[in-house]
Amino acid sequence: MRIWAFIIVGIMCGMLFARYQLCFSTAVRSLISFRRKDKIFIFLVLVIASAVLFNFFIGIGLLKETVKALMPMTFFGGILFGIGMVL
């Protein structure tokens, strides 16, 4: 049941990112080429908000703090995610 919540939230976030053209590579390109700071600012706000919320949920006991070892599949997954974001 919990996996469906993650799938639904992931699809909703993906639809929002596609609708408002929030792509990290586009944000960096806009910052460097056109000196537009709006998209990179949105990403910074999202990163800070997610860090605060995750720490809050860990603090009140809704999430467990788990740190897993860096494995080769994690590295390849990050590479695949980065390529997918650009495409």
Side-chain angles (χ1 to χ4, degrees), residues 5-6 8-9 11 19 21 29 33 35-36 50 55 61 77:
F6 288 123
I8 290 170
V9 169
I11 290 172
R19 169 75 174 109
Q21 297 178 352
R29 185 185 69 215
S33 299
R35 304 286 187 232
R36 293 189 61 199
S50 66
N55 283 319

Side-chain angles (χ1 to χ4, degrees), residues 22-24 26-28 30-31 36-49:
L22 286 177
C23 175
F24 188 72
T26 303
V28 172
S30 293
L31 179 67
R36 293 189 61 199
K37 299 175 186 172
D38 53 344
K39 290 186 181 182
I40 202 78
F41 178 73
I42 291 172
F43 274 106
L44 290 175
V45 168
L46 288 174
V47 167
I48 292 169

Side-chain angles (χ1 to χ4, degrees), residues 70-85:
L70 183 64
M71 299 185 322
M73 292 311 292
T74 307
F75 178 75
F76 292 124
I79 297 286
L80 185 63
F81 178 77
I83 291 171
M85 270 184 71

Side-chain angles (χ1 to χ4, degrees), residues 45-79:
V45 168
L46 288 174
V47 167
I48 292 169
S50 66
V52 169
L53 286 174
F54 273 117
N55 283 319
F56 173 73
F57 289 139
I58 289 170
I60 63 173
L62 287 178
L63 293 175
K64 295 179 184 176
E65 185 176 2
T66 58
V67 177
K68 297 184 179 182
L70 183 64
M71 299 185 322
M73 292 311 292
T74 307
F75 178 75
F76 292 124
I79 297 286

